[in-house]
Amino acid sequence: MNTLTPKRLTLYLLLAPAILWLLLLIILPHVGMGMISFRERIGPGEFAGSLKQYRTFFEEPLYWNTFVRTAVMSLIATIMALVMAFPVAWTIAKVAKGRLKALMLAATLLPFWASELVRTLGWLILLRGSGVIPQFLAFIGVTDQPVELLYHDATILVGLIYSSLLFMLVPLINALETLDDSLIEAAYDLGGNRLNILRKIIIPHAAPGIAAGSIMVFMLTLGNYLTPVVLGGKSSMWFTEQIYTQFITRFNWEQGAAFAFLLLGLSSVLVWLGLKITGQRFADAMRRT
Amino acid sequence: MIPSLPDSKLLTRGRALYVSLFFLFLLMPLSVVAVFAFNNSLFPTPPWKGFTLDWFIANTGDRTGLFFDSALLTSIWVSCKVAFWVTVLSVSLGIGNAFLLERAQFRGKGLLTTLMLVPLVIPGVILGISILAFASQIANYAYDAWGLELEWLRPGLPLVVAGQFSYIVTIATLTIAARLKRFDESLEEAALNLGATRFAILRTITLPYLKPSIIGSAAVAFLLSFENFNTTLMLVGSDNPLTVLMYGRMREGASPVLNAVSLLLMAVSSIAVGMMYLRKPKQA
């Protein structure tokens, strides 16, 4: 029926590795993890299907609180990154020209290409009790003694926002650059004030970029491990840390798998909501970033 | 707002001030890392005690510089090996995927396209954990059923390569596919009319056209792999890549040798990124 023409053969040769990749490294591991999460250890090497892991999650306030806390802090970090990045993206896209613009773009890219470890080390040196900022504050007399700036929620937020600014800036700049200046000029000539122009012209035009940036930042923040653990210390209470603890430290795979699925679910739901609200397709949003 | 519209002085200055503060915020952590690599003190903290290169080249009792710190050097080598394999695998599969997305027509293409993007939205920790669990289950099964010990399915470098590859290949695919999309297919048709074989066309026309995107995605793949932490941490065995080693040392309390290695990392990646950007104008 189906003779194997060279063209079909090529297709199969290209399809096979792609399918192997997705099947062996993405689909099957996640299906396997789903199955692990729905079982319970009843004896050495003996398991039974159960919802115990998910029940534990809802019944144990620590887990539940960590989950909600991670989500809320990620949301705050996303919003703050958006608010902080927007004026800068505007300046790069619309105001700066020539060499200054290139320089600013390079400066935004630089922290991204430095490893996450390097960035976190930088914040550690800046913020710890004996570090640069506490000593400086004590030196100029704002505080009597150098104060410990690590291990606060605000510290975690600073680190998270810092790591995510690039992912916010790039889609925002791309979106703003396609906005025609004459539209703003026309609105201004017709008597629109700044707030109106921002609300009715700039933000609607930049909406795809805002959505793409926010989704990317939210996902990255939610899944971040290093920044909360190092900058937050023992008080970080980040959900990825729980997953790590269950899997690697306690070797409780069933619980860890359930946690991983909950985080994946939360991330997917919020990404889906974000796309729905802004009326975008997943593939388009991903290509933007 | 835009240069062609009148802005009050206050607004212009306010914006300039804000943007300057923003870039200060952006560059401050990296600057202190760089500066304290040269501080003549046992801890990367103020006060400044004078300039030294000890954290690169010393080999005395309490100071081991980067170039004599064998654990650090080993871990850099481990990271290079991992990054090499991730790059080769990701770029090879990326090229194949690009042709699949841009040229081939088959049932289920839409589904496959979406699936290929999925690795980018899975948090790195979960990507690592799921692959770890899957590989361990297979290894356990092989051991129980046939008495086989499949060492490469246990936490270690092969799994680290697999974990990083699983999402970096998506980035390589998108980069190469974007360039293939802009390729003028009449060039291939002309060559075909002139009697070239499919393989000769691929080798002499299509692949050379894709070369900038192949080099670019290889550089990106290498850097992403070298700097990956989340996925790597879950899959690592006894050989530590650089990021995992740095993490361990950071938790013990940082020594300026970490600043030295960070500075080295920053230098290497800025050179790599700089070269990628310098290449661009020439192609256009």
Side-chain angles (χ1 to χ4, degrees):
Chain A
M1 212 169 68
N2 237 343
T3 49
L4 200 64
T5 61
K7 212 171 168 186
R8 286 212 82 75
L9 181 68
T10 317
L11 177 65
Y12 291 142
L13 281 178
L14 288 176
L15 267 175
I19 290 176
L20 275 181
W21 154 47
L22 290 169
L23 205 63
L24 290 181
L25 293 178
I26 307 295
I27 300 171
L28 287 180
H30 282 86
V31 171
M33 204 167 63
M35 280 159 54
I36 294 176
S37 80
F38 285 109
R39 72 183 195 193
E40 182 185 351
R41 201 183 140 97
I42 47 174
E46 270 183 88
F47 299 95
S50 106
L51 286 173
K52 174 171 172 266
Q53 317 306 334
Y54 292 92
R55 227 176 15 244
T56 313
F57 169 74
F58 286 105
E59 283 168 0
E60 183 68 59
L62 172 72
Y63 299 149
W64 175 242
N65 286 342
T66 310
F67 188 72
V68 174
R69 177 185 146 87
T70 306
V72 171
M73 296 244 310
S74 300
L75 211 57
I76 296 174
T78 308
I79 294 167
M80 286 182 68
L82 176 63
V83 172
M84 280 175 70
F86 199 88
V88 178
W90 179 263
T91 310
I92 293 178
K94 291 284 168 200
V95 183
K97 295 273 182 292
R99 187 171 277 183
L100 181 65
K101 180 171 174 164
L103 199 68
M104 283 171 128
L105 268 176
T108 51
L109 286 173
L110 202 66
F112 172 70
W113 286 113
S115 155
E116 202 183 352
L117 270 300
V118 177
R119 284 176 264 164
T120 314
L121 179 66
W123 283 113
L124 216 55
I125 294 174
L126 281 172
L127 297 175
R128 73 161 127 229
S130 56
V132 177
I133 292 179
Q135 294 221 25
F136 179 72
L137 289 179
F139 177 73
I140 61 170
V142 175
T143 54
D144 300 334
Q145 293 275 316
V147 283
E148 181 62 79
L149 293 178
L150 284 179
Y151 317 129
H152 301 292
D153 286 0
T155 320
I156 302 178
L157 275 179
V158 168
L160 290 173
I161 293 169
Y162 184 79
S163 310
S164 45
L165 278 174
L166 177 99
F167 297 94
M168 195 58 100
L169 275 168
V170 169
L172 282 182
I173 294 171
N174 286 340
L176 289 174
E177 272 187 334
T178 60
L179 174 63
D180 192 345
D181 281 4
S182 56
L183 282 176
I184 301 171
E185 286 161 1
Y188 190 78
D189 287 345
L190 292 170
N193 61 27
R194 282 164 210 287
L195 204 65
N196 267 331
I197 296 178
L198 183 70
R199 211 163 46 102
K200 297 221 169 119
I201 296 177
I202 299 172
I203 291 181
H205 183 87
I210 295 176
S214 305
I215 288 171
M216 203 65 200
V217 167
F218 183 78
M219 281 181 334
L220 287 173
T221 319
L222 207 58
N224 201 324
Y225 176 82
L226 183 71
T227 305
V229 170
V230 174
L231 297 183
K234 288 207 164 58
S235 61
S236 70
M237 298 242 301
W238 208 253
F239 204 65
T240 46
E241 201 186 352
Q242 281 294 345
I243 298 176
Y244 180 85
T245 308
Q246 296 295 346
F247 249 95
I248 312 281
T249 318
R250 296 203 190 149
F251 221 68
N252 186 350
W253 282 18
E254 288 72 29
Q255 193 66 67
F259 285 174
F261 255 84
L262 287 162
L263 190 69
L264 202 57
L266 174 68
S267 162
S268 316
V269 165
L270 282 157
V271 168
W272 178 80
L273 264 178
L275 291 173
K276 201 87 187 158
I277 291 168
T278 53
Q280 281 205 78
R281 282 181 51 238
F282 172 64
D284 298 337
M286 289 314 302
R287 286 206 178 136
R288 251 168 225 287
T289 43
Chain B
M1 300 180 96
I2 53 177
S4 59
L5 293 185
D7 263 337
S8 69
K9 264 216 171 93
L10 188 71
L11 201 73
T12 320
R13 288 202 182 143
R15 188 179 52 215
L17 180 71
Y18 174 74
V19 172
S20 316
L21 283 176
F22 182 87
F23 281 107
L24 184 71
F25 174 72
L26 221 50
L27 298 179
M28 209 164 48
L30 303 186
S31 327
V32 293
V33 168
V35 168
F36 283 103
F38 300 104
N39 189 14
N40 193 4
S41 150
L42 287 178
F43 305 99
T45 50
W48 181 256
K49 289 189 178 165
F51 180 87
T52 178
L53 285 177
D54 277 3
W55 301 112
F56 292 88
I57 51 172
N59 193 12
T60 55
D62 56 349
R63 292 187 183 190
T64 310
L66 164 60
F67 297 116
F68 292 96
D69 191 323
S70 58
L72 260 180
L73 294 178
T74 309
S75 75
I76 292 177
W77 176 236
V78 168
S79 285
C80 284
K81 279 193 290 189
V82 169
F84 170 79
W85 284 111
V86 170
T87 307
V88 169
L89 290 170
S90 306
V91 172
S92 316
L93 186 55
I95 296 172
N97 287 345
F99 278 94
L100 213 50
L101 293 183
E102 294 301 328
R103 296 293 178 81
Q105 292 305 327
F106 52 93
R107 247 187 307 152
K109 188 177 166 185
L111 177 69
L112 193 77
T113 312
T114 311
L115 274 177
M116 281 187 181
L117 292 172
V118 164
L120 287 186
V121 298
I122 302 173
V125 172
I126 297 180
L127 214 49
I129 286 286
S130 68
I131 291 173
L132 171 73
F134 183 59
S136 301
Q137 278 179 308
I138 295 178
N140 289 345
Y141 184 82
Y143 187 76
D144 293 343
W146 308 301
L148 271 176
E149 185 50 77
L150 300 175
E151 200 50 54
W152 52 278
L153 285 175
R154 303 292 180 189
L157 297 185
L159 280 192
V160 172
V161 171
Q164 295 181 354
F165 162 78
S166 72
Y167 81 94
I168 292 177
V169 63
T170 300
I171 294 162
T173 301
L174 291 177
T175 316
I176 300 170
R179 186 156 170 93
L180 187 59
K181 201 189 190 77
R182 295 196 305 270
F183 179 72
D184 183 0
E185 281 186 58
S186 58
L187 286 176
E188 287 185 353
E189 283 158 21
L192 207 58
N193 278 340
L194 293 170
T197 61
R198 287 260 166 215
F199 182 70
I201 295 174
L202 185 71
R203 202 169 51 84
T204 57
I205 300 176
T206 322
L207 284 183
Y209 170 82
L210 290 177
K211 200 173 138 199
S213 67
I214 292 173
I215 294 174
S217 60
V220 169
F222 195 92
L223 280 178
L224 284 177
S225 159
F226 202 91
E227 295 181 347
N228 182 284
F229 174 73
N230 278 355
T231 310
T232 308
L233 182 69
M234 305 297 146
L235 296 168
V236 82
S238 52
D239 298 316
N240 282 337
L242 181 63
T243 48
V244 175
L245 186 89
M246 283 176 76
Y247 172 67
R249 295 240 183 131
M250 238 154 82
R251 300 202 85 176
E252 290 165 13
S255 127
V257 75
L258 284 184
N259 294 52
V261 73
S262 299
L263 189 64
L264 195 77
L265 277 183
M266 285 194 270
V268 171
S269 47
S270 1
I271 292 168
V273 174
M275 282 195 332
M276 273 181 340
Y277 279 84
L278 285 179
R279 283 181 59 87
K280 265 188 183 157
K282 285 184 194 151
Q283 299 155 27

